[in-house]
Amino acid sequence: MPSRTGILTAVHLANIAKTLCATRPYALSTLYLQFHPQVAANVSCPRALGRFVASVYQSSVTWLGSEVDLRIVTGSLRPNEASFEAFVNRPRPATVDYLFYDYALSSGSGSERCLTERYPGVKVVELDTLGLDQVSLPTELDKTLRTYRNVVLGGTFDRIHAGHKVLLTQAVLLATERVVVGVTEGGMIKSKKLHELIMPAAHRIEHVKEFLEDIDPFLRYEVVPILDPFGPTATDPDMDLIVVSTETARGGAKVNELRQQNGLNQLEVHTIELLDDESTIEDKEDKISSSNLRMDLLGTRLRPRRPTPVHIPAKPYIIGMIGGIAAGKSKMLERFREFGAGVVDCDKIGHELYEPGEDCYEQVVATFGREILAADGKINRRALGAIVFADRNKLDQLNEIMWKAIAKRANEEIRALHEQHGKEVVIMEAAVMLQAGWHKNCHEVWSCIVPREEAIRRLMERNQFEEHEATRRVDSQPSSNEEMVQHSDIVFCTLWSYEYSQQQAERAWSIVQQEMKLKL
């Protein structure tokens, strides 16, 4: 579906729910809500509408749908920018498909023509027949109207959602000159749920800048990465107010403690209530959060489907499955087997290839000597491990023997599943998929992850390991969660209920099936 952008000029704010709902049939991607100049003329300062802005963002998913990016242009409330002529001079949006009005244009002064001329070919839509004779303001306006020259705030700002928009917009409404935003990166994001799916800091910084410049291009913005909880607040003397949420309120006090130690002025602290998520479900947080958005990514395609590499046959469709120990990978594979996929277990193949009579058996014995054999003639894996893990060159020798043989046997099994059992999709699972380079022979890669602490807990419970042993095994895995996610087209996480893991699997399987039908 093509991207569609709309600008809504509103004067009857008491009817905003009805007005926004009326834009739904136009299948918008982005909707800019700007205030008619008469609104600015009837409020004492932009901050008076702070509560209104927060309530609109909170209900925007209900009124508009989750696919619409709503941006409330608070800059249109500033006295020197409250005119259609000023609206036209804003740099963004560059292109617009629809101009919406919540009033009859015949009741206006005709200044709206500026916008029509700015966006040639735009469609003009009157969403209501009300006139402009009376401005309809929200029933409750903010009564505390003090503003500050320099305002600062911080956060992760991963995939900007309504909660972020409220936080950033309140900072804009409180500021008269400059807004400084610290965007966390490095160790600051490691404690976040599904932190492996958090966008790179450079992308998040760009998205924050773009949002701020969209809603009020007349302030000065500094959006910077931060590696600790304080960022520029520790050293910048030109700050007056810090904006925090109820969740991070203690951080505001800590900032002032540090500023006092550094001989800097104390910041006023403005606290914003977290927004409840009106569409939340079991397993998710009740507040609007990036964690919930990252959970929504599970079982979905994280990047566009790649063209089939020339060296891989189009059929069967091969999916490489990777995952950490105790991550729930086996159960996930079971689900896909029930859906109809063929499954090739490379770890199981590796064990089979160590058996007497296999070519690999002969090569391994010839390379490492008969002292690795047990009394029954089988390879003693513990004795072999003692040799190869003490010498990196010997480990490389073993891997060269085994990985080549495993890949050959896996390809034979894949062909058999397709030709003899009619499997159109085959999932190849291997712990060393990335290290062995087998992912390059797959059409795509899926991964199954859980947090390190959860993997340790599961090993202790399932295998009756002591904590130190469970920790050692988790930390000695061939790939980290971050590395697996970087190589993955689809990611699963089994941290929550059985039903939520099932939903992820069903979602992924549905995507693959639909894409294969389209290809036919």
Side-chain angles (χ1 to χ4, degrees):
M1 182 180 293
S3 176
R4 293 175 180 168
T5 300
I7 295 178
L8 166 63
T9 303
V11 68
H12 300 292
L13 304 189
N15 301 337
I16 196 64
K18 173 187 171 186
T19 303
L20 290 178
C21 287
T23 68
R24 289 193 77 155
Y26 297 90
L28 300 171
S29 305
T30 308
L31 176 62
Y32 292 84
L33 166 57
Q34 64 186 17
F35 300 97
H36 190 280
Q38 286 195 27
V39 175
N42 281 270
V43 296
S44 51
C45 83
R47 192 180 167 188
L49 288 178
R51 194 176 305 177
F52 167 80
V53 168
S55 66
V56 172
Y57 275 133
Q58 176 159 16
S59 299
S60 60
V61 171
T62 303
W63 297 339
L64 292 169
S66 59
E67 65 283 356
V68 181
D69 178 9
L70 175 66
R71 303 195 166 200
I72 303 177
V73 186
T74 54
S76 61
L77 293 168
R78 296 191 183 277
N80 56 335
E81 302 300 334
S83 70
F84 281 100
E85 290 76 13
F87 297 168
V88 167
N89 291 327
R90 288 200 304 261
R92 284 208 296 265
T95 59
V96 173
D97 301 285
Y98 295 96
L99 291 174
F100 299 103
Y101 300 90
D102 70 345
Y103 57 91
L105 288 172
S106 59
S107 66
S109 63
S111 300
E112 295 87 352
R113 283 195 300 272
C114 295
L115 286 176
T116 310
E117 292 167 1
R118 162 79 192 275
Y119 301 109
V122 71
K123 297 179 179 66
V124 177
V125 181
E126 296 179 15
L127 298 174
D128 212 318
T129 57
L130 293 172
L132 275 172
D133 52 329
Q134 188 174 358
V135 176
S136 176
L137 295 177
T139 52
E140 289 188 44
L141 296 176
D142 289 21
K143 295 180 174 58
T144 306
L145 302 178
R146 183 180 174 188
T147 53
Y148 304 81
R149 287 179 59 241
N150 301 287
V151 175
V152 63
L153 69 159
T156 306
F157 299 107
D158 181 40
R159 298 174 175 87
I160 289 179
H161 54 67
H164 294 143
K165 291 177 180 179
V166 169
L167 198 66
L168 293 165
T169 304
Q170 294 299 329
V172 166
L173 290 172
L174 286 159
T176 58
E177 292 185 18
R178 179 177 71 134
V179 174
V180 179
V181 185
V183 177
T184 58
E185 66 169 339
M188 288 283 288
I189 65 172
K190 294 297 184 183
S191 62
K192 298 287 184 181
K193 189 185 297 180
L194 293 172
H195 67 85
E196 300 90 350
L197 295 177
I198 292 176
M199 299 179 79
H203 293 187
R204 291 180 280 127
I205 287 171
E206 184 58 35
H207 293 166
V208 169
K209 279 183 181 175
E210 183 184 274
F211 177 79
L212 291 170
E213 290 166 359
D214 269 358
I215 67 170
D216 192 340
F218 311 107
L219 293 174
R220 183 157 54 93
Y221 300 113
E222 296 172 16
V223 187
V224 297
I226 58 174
L227 295 169
D228 60 58
F230 304 104
T233 62
T235 56
D236 191 334
D238 296 321
M239 288 185 173
D240 307 299
L241 173 85
I242 184 169
V243 177
V244 298
S245 69
T246 49
E247 197 175 59
T248 60
R250 289 183 61 193
K254 292 288 185 184
V255 163
N256 274 330
E257 286 178 18
L258 182 60
R259 287 180 70 84
Q260 186 172 30
Q261 292 171 19
N262 293 343
L264 299 172
N265 64 299
Q266 296 289 280
L267 304 182
E268 295 284 337
V269 180
H270 182 77
T271 306
I272 293 173
E273 295 285 335
L274 293 170
L275 298 187
D276 292 334
D277 189 343
E278 296 179 354
S279 61
T280 193
I281 60 170
E282 187 181 354
D283 293 316
K284 288 187 175 182
E285 297 175 347
D286 292 330
K287 64 177 182 176
I288 294 175
S289 71
S290 296
S291 297
N292 284 353
L293 293 180
R294 289 193 291 276
M295 287 178 69
D296 289 340
L297 294 174
L298 298 171
T300 70
R301 194 172 289 294
L302 299 179
R303 53 182 63 88
R305 182 175 172 178
R306 295 168 292 179
T308 300
V310 293
H311 67 282
I312 307 176
K315 292 185 177 183
Y317 194 75
I318 304 168
I319 298 168
M321 174 69 89
I322 52 180
I325 189 170
K329 187 167 76 266
S330 298
K331 184 60 190 175
M332 198 60 77
L333 288 168
E334 215 175 280
R335 292 182 172 102
F336 293 120
R337 189 181 279 113
E338 290 173 2
F339 293 159
V343 174
V344 173
D345 185 340
C346 290
D347 296 337
K348 182 181 176 184
I349 290 173
H351 284 285
E352 292 171 351
L353 291 174
Y354 276 117
E355 291 296 311
E358 295 283 356
D359 290 343
C360 264
Y361 172 91
E362 302 298 340
Q363 288 184 60
V364 170
V365 172
T367 302
F368 297 101
R370 301 193 65 81
E371 59 267 27
I372 66 169
L373 297 178
D376 60 1
K378 292 186 176 183
I379 292 175
N380 182 333
R381 299 283 293 275
R382 187 183 294 273
L384 178 60
I387 294 171
V388 299
F389 289 118
D391 186 331
R392 179 69 207 191
N393 290 330
K394 289 189 176 352
L395 179 59
D396 290 342
Q397 277 184 291
L398 178 64
N399 286 340
E400 186 177 354
I401 294 168
M402 296 303 299
W403 288 356
K404 190 181 297 182
I406 291 170
K408 182 173 181 292
R409 181 69 57 85
N411 285 332
E412 291 169 357
E413 290 193 11
I414 289 169
R415 283 198 300 273
L417 284 167
H418 177 57
E419 294 169 5
Q420 299 172 26
H421 301 279
K423 299 297 183 183
E424 294 294 321
V425 177
V426 177
I427 300 178
M428 181 173 72
E429 182 272 323
V432 295
M433 175 85 62
L434 302 180
Q435 291 69 30
W438 298 334
H439 61 290
K440 297 173 184 174
N441 296 321
C442 299
H443 294 91
E444 61 182 276
V445 175
W446 294 357
S447 62
C448 192
I449 62 172
V450 292
R452 175 177 177 273
E453 297 73 20
E454 175 65 10
I456 291 170
R457 186 196 68 77
R458 290 181 181 181
L459 278 182
M460 292 172 65
E461 183 180 287
R462 184 186 74 188
N463 297 51
Q464 300 300 303
F465 287 153
E466 294 293 329
E467 184 174 0
H468 68 87
E469 176 60 17
T471 301
R472 185 188 70 78
R473 295 199 178 211
V474 169
D475 290 345
S476 63
Q477 294 179 100
S479 302
S480 66
N481 282 353
E482 289 86 352
E483 185 182 2
M484 288 188 286
V485 168
Q486 284 171 9
H487 285 85
S488 295
D489 297 276
I490 292 179
V491 174
F492 309 102
C493 180
T494 62
L495 183 61
W496 300 280
S497 66
Y498 175 91
E499 291 75 18
Y500 197 71
S501 297
Q502 180 73 19
Q503 288 173 24
Q504 296 172 45
E506 290 172 355
R507 198 179 297 153
W509 187 251
S510 174
I511 289 170
V512 170
Q513 293 299 298
Q514 185 63 28
E515 289 178 346
M516 290 179 73
K517 283 180 186 174
L518 289 174
K519 203 166 183 182
L520 293 173

